[in-house]
Amino acid sequence: MLTCTACREEFATYELQKEHFKLDWHRYNLKRKVVGLPPVTLLQFQARKSEGASALAAVPQEAPVPMSFKCLNCSKSFTNTKALENHKATKKHQSAVKKDGEEKITSKVLETKNDAEVEEAEEEEDPDANISLKIEDCMFCPHASETLEANLIHMQKTHGFFVPDLEYLQDLEGFITYLVEKVKLGHYCLYCNGKGKVFRTYQDAQKHMIDRSHCKLIYEEDNDLYEYEEFYDFTSSYEQPDGQEWEDVEEIEVEDGDEDDEDEDELAHIKTISISETGEMVLPNGTRLGQREYRRYYKQRHRPDDVRECVLAQTKERLLLAYQMAGIDASSTAITISFANKFLNRRQGNMESRTIQEAISVRHKFQKHRERLEVRSHKLQKHPNRRNLVTV
């Protein structure tokens, strides 16, 4: 059986208890329990709630008067009394009051605005309301020219902007107007074209285009050029040279099998995506896309084999020496005597045949091992009785 200690109720299932914890009645009894009062029943709670609601409805509620407060001691302003009271409780305000000798707080009533006045203020604050969209104004700076041609010359010399395929452009003024609205109203970068950073004002977009050298159109074959299609007319480029006209070609009926063969021949030279033997996807440009579960193998960077002649010769001598020590006849291949002697001396631990560097290294390792043993056995402790306290 599940219970609620605050309301003194019992529940048959966990779901009923969980729903009970969401009730206002439970919250009310929790607050009474904190101050040491007994809980009330559900009927008593509903009766008190209805009485409180009727009392609030009977009292006329006046609209709150907007006020603003300013603390002269701390030079801070507040828009409501709660924020002011919280500020008064801070140590910084109290220390400022002690320093000035008295608390200085002023208040004033804020003027209320009608809905019409608020709408007018919003229209006045609209940053795009007073933007000049003249085609004689530069798209990248505040410079203003007298004519469109002068503006184009300025943008080309100062910012490097030019109109691509000008000989096929049919509506120059409409094209420039579209670009001006795109920059100043849409806050777009002409080159990023909405794929990069988002700008809050057109000044930010202009600054970005100047800083990044993006004062140009993304006018390339690989990109989508349908955006400027209505301003261009490329039909003149399709005409035949020397006044020749297009000739009508008679259609030849071809069987279905022949059509399939022709389609296969046409698609034979086109590179497509393929799957390798290891399950990787090979793109037309040669890039391989592997599976995510094999990424730990893709991250491996194996050390390439050293193919220098000196390294190969040394490896060969070691193998031949190993053959000789194992009793295998390797007389057909010559082994240098110096390498064999050094190898055998290291294996047998001969001190006389060691070099000075090897002897120093062995002596250093032996001394380090001896110091480790002395520390473990407490040979370095000055007090003799401490040796018996610690066992190794």
Side-chain angles (χ1 to χ4, degrees), residues 70-279:
K70 185 173 183 180
C71 176
L72 301 179
N73 304 103
C74 305
S75 300
K76 289 186 177 182
S77 301
F78 308 93
T79 57
N80 52 58
T81 56
K82 187 175 181 180
L84 179 63
E85 294 298 331
N86 294 334
H87 172 70
K88 288 182 180 180
T90 58
K91 294 182 179 179
K92 186 176 180 180
H93 172 75
Q94 295 174 1
S95 61
V97 171
K98 288 182 181 180
K99 185 177 180 180
D100 297 339
E102 60 178 350
E103 189 177 36
K104 301 177 182 178
I105 296 177
T106 60
S107 62
K108 66 178 181 178
V109 179
L110 299 177
E111 297 180 359
T112 57
K113 296 182 179 180
N114 299 329
D115 296 339
E117 296 178 355
V118 172
E119 291 179 358
E120 291 178 359
E122 290 179 353
E123 291 178 357
E124 292 177 358
E125 294 176 357
D126 188 5
D128 296 338
N130 300 323
I131 294 177
S132 176
L133 300 177
K134 297 179 180 179
I135 58 178
E136 292 82 8
D137 296 340
C138 179
M139 290 184 289
F140 312 106
C141 67
H143 177 77
S145 304
E146 295 180 357
T147 60
L148 175 60
E149 289 74 13
N151 186 25
L152 292 175
I153 294 172
H154 160 75
M155 290 190 292
Q156 183 177 6
K157 292 183 177 180
T158 308
H159 308 291
F161 173 79
F162 66 94
V163 179
D165 293 337
L166 186 60
E167 62 273 14
Y168 301 112
L169 186 63
Q170 298 297 319
D171 187 6
L172 178 59
E173 294 183 359
F175 183 67
I176 298 299
T177 303
Y178 173 75
L179 296 180
V180 170
E181 293 178 354
K182 185 176 181 180
V183 173
K184 293 188 176 182
L185 297 182
H187 308 162
Y188 278 94
C189 170
L190 296 179
Y191 191 77
C192 296
N193 204 19
K195 296 181 181 179
K197 187 178 179 182
V198 180
F199 306 99
R200 298 185 62 184
T201 61
Y202 76 92
Q203 291 90 347
D204 296 339
Q206 290 177 342
K207 185 176 183 300
H208 164 79
M209 288 188 287
I210 294 174
D211 294 343
R212 298 281 183 175
S213 299
H214 282 185
C215 301
K216 54 187 176 180
L217 297 176
I218 182 169
Y219 194 81
E220 300 175 0
E221 294 182 358
D222 297 337
N223 297 307
D224 190 6
L225 302 180
Y226 294 109
E227 182 180 0
Y228 313 118
E229 187 178 16
E230 58 179 321
F231 304 105
Y232 284 89
D233 184 12
F234 293 98
T235 55
S236 60
S237 63
Y238 304 147
E239 296 179 356
Q240 290 287 345
D242 300 332
Q244 298 180 4
E245 297 181 356
W246 294 96
E247 297 180 357
D248 295 334
V249 180
E250 296 181 359
E251 296 183 357
I252 302 174
E253 295 183 359
V254 183
E255 297 181 0
D256 296 339
D258 297 338
E259 290 182 357
D260 296 340
D261 295 339
E262 290 179 359
D263 295 340
E264 291 179 0
D265 295 338
E266 291 177 358
L267 299 176
H269 66 280
I270 300 177
K271 296 181 179 180
T272 57
I273 298 174
S274 59
I275 305 298
S276 64
E277 297 178 356
T278 57

Side-chain angles (χ1 to χ4, degrees), residues 35-90:
V35 296
L37 297 176
V40 297
T41 61
L42 180 59
L43 297 177
Q44 293 175 348
F45 171 73
Q46 291 177 352
R48 295 185 182 186
K49 187 176 180 180
S50 59
E51 291 175 1
S54 58
L56 289 175
V59 177
Q61 296 182 358
E62 298 180 357
V65 180
M67 299 280 293
S68 66
F69 306 91
K70 185 173 183 180
C71 176
L72 301 179
N73 304 103
C74 305
S75 300
K76 289 186 177 182
S77 301
F78 308 93
T79 57
N80 52 58
T81 56
K82 187 175 181 180
L84 179 63
E85 294 298 331
N86 294 334
H87 172 70
K88 288 182 180 180
T90 58

Side-chain angles (χ1 to χ4, degrees), residues 302-321:
H302 296 287
R303 185 176 181 180
D305 296 335
D306 200 341
V307 295
R308 291 179 295 175
E309 294 183 358
C310 57
V311 177
L312 294 176
Q314 190 175 10
T315 306
K316 183 178 179 180
E317 291 179 352
R318 288 185 179 180
L319 290 174
L320 294 175
L321 182 59

